[in-house]
């Protein structure tokens, strides 16, 4: 075990929430956060409620006028200072994240760099908050300004404790918004550490609060408040739908990054070794717990057996273990019920006549570890509508391109999708027809700060990252100038 790294993580761990820059300590009680590898409690954050959430909202509202009306170059400079501090703390932040989330330490450090990419990118976007001038047919001159929407509520998930925070805070701060963040109770420490660094980088007091506690209580206060003008949520479709309903009476701007059930399609003309390698890269990020993980793999029948055998042979080599062990690629799942879901999905494939080619059971390490699993055959219906959110790849055969497209689109979700083929025409045609916000062609990795990220159908709306991400945090104001 890498004790030095672990200590660097613990050194950044603050057992408090942050309301308007002021720490509210847990004092050893409140919400216990555990290491998913062992189930041991690593620390606590306070269980805050309506009063503290209200105080955070008030602080965000008070900080908003100065922050939003100020020079955007000041906000860009702040974002760059924050990014520099994060760069200085990649080891510690990665270790802290590995401790509370369980993802392998190397991967956690990679997430810190990915997360920081959003801050760096949006520092540039702050400098490009460009409006337009236009002649109106009424003989007037039109000026448009892109103005911050207001104080924002940002609700972030446990699977990417750093990147989902910065993907929201980067554009929010660039636009001039202030924010109240509710991080997932399983992984609050990374968010708190990042917020501490933001204040060290010179963020004005009140511009950011991190409120820990019961999600439904805090979520209700945030969504009910007329002072909060925008909600951005990453999480399940069910919770997203409820939050969107709660935002309706105050007509907040809302963006939702929800569930996935991503299809991955392999045609017979594809480079099978590449398809196997990229399937593994896409699937086993965060031990299969991402919204963009391939959830169901469709392979043209003539190569289905060959692809599945190759895939199973590679997957069988994957090292499973705790975050700080050398060479580990798949860690524990976040909680016990996550293991039960993977088991349920393996059982469903078996019951439908499919075969388990590798894995298929809880790992000998016990606890929340599951064997990396590949299955072949059975019915794909369950996988169209339910994310496994664990280290399992179900492979199904198809016969025609139309059948593959129909299967891929036969889901209420439409977040990520993947396609492997050497035929350029097919790649163009298929990627246009697939009902998904994102399509990776001959790659299993599609996420970067510069690519628009988001879904269609029940996967939500709004785009994060890229040149579009800041639009979620600005309103366009039109000034009509009558020139006499
Ligand atoms: C997610 O799973 O919600 C995000 C994944 C990513 O950013 O690639």
């Amino acid at each position: 075990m890498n004790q030095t790294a672990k200590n660097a993580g613990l050194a950044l761990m603050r057992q408090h929430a942050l309301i308007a820059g002021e720490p509210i300590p847990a004092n050893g009680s409140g919400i216990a956060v555990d290491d998913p590898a062992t189930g041991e409690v690593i620390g606590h954050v306070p269980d805050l409620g309506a009063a503290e959430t209200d105080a955070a909202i008030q602080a965000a509202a008070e900080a908003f006028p100065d922050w939003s009306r100020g020079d955007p170059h000041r906000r860009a400079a702040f974002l760059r200072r924050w990014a520099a501090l994060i760069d200085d703390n990649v080891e510690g932040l990665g270790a802290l994240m590995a401790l509370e989330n369980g993802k392998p330490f190397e991967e956690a450090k990679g997430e810190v760099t990915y997360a920081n990419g959003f801050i760096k990118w949006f520092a540039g976007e702050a400098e490009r908050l460009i409006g337009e001038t236009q002649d109106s047919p009424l003989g007037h001159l039109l000026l448009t300004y892109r103005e911050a929407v207001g104080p924002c509520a940002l609700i972030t998930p446990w699977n990417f404790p750093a990147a989902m925070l910065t993907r929201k805070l980067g554009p929010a701060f660039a636009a001039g918004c202030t924010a109240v963040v509710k991080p997932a109770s399983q992984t609050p420490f990374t968010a708190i550490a990042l917020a501490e660094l933001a204040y060290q980088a010179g963020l004005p007091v009140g511009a950011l609060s991190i409120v820990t506690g019961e999600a439904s209580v805090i979520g209700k206060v945030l969504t009910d408040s007329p002072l909060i003008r925008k909600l951005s949520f990453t999480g399940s479709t069910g919770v997203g739908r409820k939050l969107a309903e709660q935002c309706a009476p105050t007509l907040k701007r809302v963006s939702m990054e929800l569930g996935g059930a991503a299809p991955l399609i392999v045609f017979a003309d594809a480079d099978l070794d590449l398809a196997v390698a990229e399937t593994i890269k896409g699937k086993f990020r965060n031990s299969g717990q991402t919204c963009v993980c391939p959830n169901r793999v469709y392979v043209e029948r003539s190569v289905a057996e060959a692809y599945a055998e190759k895939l199973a042979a590679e997957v069988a080599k994957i090292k499973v273990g705790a975050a700080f062990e050398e060479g580990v690629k798949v860690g524990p799942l976040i909680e016990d019920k996550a293991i039960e879901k993977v088991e349920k999905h393996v059982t469903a494939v078996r019951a439908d006549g499919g075969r388990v080619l590798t894995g298929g059971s809880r790992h000998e390490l016990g606890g929340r570890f599951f064997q990396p699993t590949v299955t072949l055959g059975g019915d794909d219906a369950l996988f169209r509508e339910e994310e496994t959110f664990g280290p399992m790849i179900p492979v199904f055969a198809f016969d025609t391109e139309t059948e593959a497209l129909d299967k891929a689109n036969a889901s209420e979700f439409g977040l990520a999708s993947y396609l492997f083929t050497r035929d350029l025409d097919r790649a163009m045609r298929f990627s246009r027809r697939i009902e998904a916000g994102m399509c990776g062609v001959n790659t299993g990795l599609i996420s970067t700060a510069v690519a628009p990220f988001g879904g269609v159908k029940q996967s939500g709306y709004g785009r994060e990252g890229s040149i579009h991400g800041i639009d979620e945090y600005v309103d366009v104001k039109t000034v009509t100038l009558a020139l006499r």
Side-chain angles (χ1 to χ4, degrees):
M1 190 218 295
N2 186 340
Q3 193 58 47
T4 317
K6 209 169 164 182
N7 289 344
L10 291 171
L12 289 181
M13 188 170 93
R14 298 284 175 274
Q15 300 190 51
H16 58 229
L18 269 182
I19 306 292
E22 282 303 310
I24 313 245
N27 294 325
S29 64
I31 297 173
V33 179
D34 71 15
D35 173 354
T38 59
E40 272 167 33
V41 172
I42 58 169
H44 291 81
V45 288
D47 187 4
L48 303 180
E52 295 88 354
T53 310
D54 270 331
I57 295 171
Q58 200 57 47
E62 278 163 24
F64 179 72
D66 182 55
W67 184 239
S68 58
R69 285 184 209 134
D71 178 0
H73 298 92
R74 168 188 167 211
R75 300 196 296 269
F78 152 73
L79 287 168
R80 292 203 173 94
R81 286 195 301 276
W82 188 22
L85 286 175
I86 293 172
D87 275 338
D88 290 345
N89 284 282
V90 171
E91 279 292 291
L93 289 166
L96 184 58
M97 193 195 308
L99 275 169
E100 62 178 357
N101 168 284
K103 67 176 71 183
F105 178 46
E106 286 307 314
E107 190 179 335
K109 284 191 285 184
E111 185 188 328
V112 175
T113 303
Y114 171 47
N116 212 3
F118 292 103
I119 300 178
K120 292 172 184 174
W121 172 264
F122 285 106
E125 289 299 279
E127 291 162 340
R128 287 187 287 270
L129 272 175
I130 297 166
E132 296 133 12
T133 60
Q134 192 184 342
D135 291 315
S136 127
L138 301 180
H140 302 143
L141 178 65
L142 304 179
L143 307 176
T144 59
Y145 296 88
R146 294 162 80 208
E147 296 185 340
V149 296
C152 299
L154 311 177
I155 304 183
T156 59
W158 51 263
N159 61 346
F160 288 86
M164 298 306 99
L165 184 86
T166 58
R167 193 152 83 183
K168 298 181 194 307
L169 275 180
F173 286 151
C177 297
T178 53
V180 179
V181 172
K182 161 69 183 85
S185 292
Q186 296 93 332
T187 59
F189 291 127
T190 306
I192 295 161
L194 285 167
E196 293 278 355
L197 293 178
Y199 276 111
Q200 275 177 41
L203 186 68
V205 168
L208 173 62
S209 290
I210 308 281
V211 190
T212 54
E214 182 59 47
S216 57
V217 175
I218 295 169
K220 183 83 173 83
V221 178
L222 290 171
T223 49
D224 281 354
S225 170
L227 295 176
I228 294 290
R229 295 310 315 141
K230 151 98 197 172
L231 169 82
S232 177
F233 171 69
T234 296
S236 73
T237 295
V239 174
R241 215 174 265 140
K242 189 157 197 291
L243 288 168
E245 270 171 29
Q246 290 175 194
C247 284
T250 49
L251 291 178
K252 291 188 205 325
R253 295 274 299 271
V254 176
S255 31
M256 293 279 164
E257 200 267 272
L258 308 175
L264 183 151
I265 298 99
V266 182
F267 285 97
D269 65 43
D271 176 338
L272 280 199
D273 291 329
L274 175 81
V276 164
E278 293 296 313
T279 305
I280 290 174
K281 278 189 208 156
K283 179 71 209 188
F284 293 105
R285 247 177 107 215
N286 197 28
S287 311
Q289 304 171 107
T290 88
C291 303
V292 291
C293 277
N295 199 55
R296 47 200 171 109
V297 172
Y298 301 108
V299 188
E300 199 163 348
R301 194 169 304 278
S302 59
V303 296
E305 193 82 35
Y307 165 88
E309 292 294 345
K310 273 176 191 276
L311 182 67
E314 290 307 312
V315 167
K317 295 179 198 160
I318 292 175
K319 183 168 175 189
V320 177
F324 294 95
E325 264 174 60
E326 204 58 39
V328 160
K329 291 280 185 283
V330 167
L333 300 189
I334 193 74
E335 54 200 2
D336 295 339
K337 64 176 194 258
I339 290 282
E340 286 157 24
K341 191 167 189 197
V342 189
E343 261 180 338
K344 176 184 130 186
H345 283 194
V346 174
T347 305
V349 168
R350 281 202 170 105
D352 290 332
R355 283 183 288 142
V356 173
L357 302 187
T358 188
S361 330
R362 289 171 185 247
H363 196 273
E364 62 194 21
L365 289 169
R368 299 177 203 162
F369 291 95
F370 200 89
Q371 295 172 335
T373 297
V374 177
T375 63
L376 178 61
D379 188 349
D380 69 323
L382 176 66
F383 299 90
R384 295 180 200 167
E385 303 306 343
E386 244 186 46
E387 293 177 291
T388 305
F389 244 62
M392 170 190 185
I393 309 177
V395 180
F396 308 95
F398 69 85
D399 291 300
T400 64
E401 185 178 319
T402 307
E403 184 193 349
L405 187 66
D406 288 347
K407 284 199 146 116
N409 287 344
S411 167
E412 64 170 358
F413 298 109
L415 187 61
S417 59
Y418 305 88
L419 168 62
F420 288 84
T421 178
R422 286 186 171 108
D423 179 339
L424 183 60
D425 282 350
R426 173 182 272 154
M428 298 301 289
R429 186 170 61 236
F430 205 94
S431 58
R432 290 302 297 271
R433 291 186 187 158
I434 202 153
E435 294 168 3
M438 299 169 282
C439 183
V441 179
N442 295 324
T443 178
L445 290 181
I446 55 173
S447 305
T448 87
V450 309
F453 190 105
V456 297
K457 304 201 285 191
Q458 300 302 304
S459 293
Y461 40 80
R463 290 294 175 268
E464 297 194 302
S466 80
I467 55 168
H468 301 289
I470 200 158
D471 293 341
E472 307 287 333
Y473 296 88
V474 295
D475 285 321
V476 174
K477 177 184 278 174
T478 311
V479 173
T480 301
L481 256 182
L483 299 172
R484 312 254 174 225

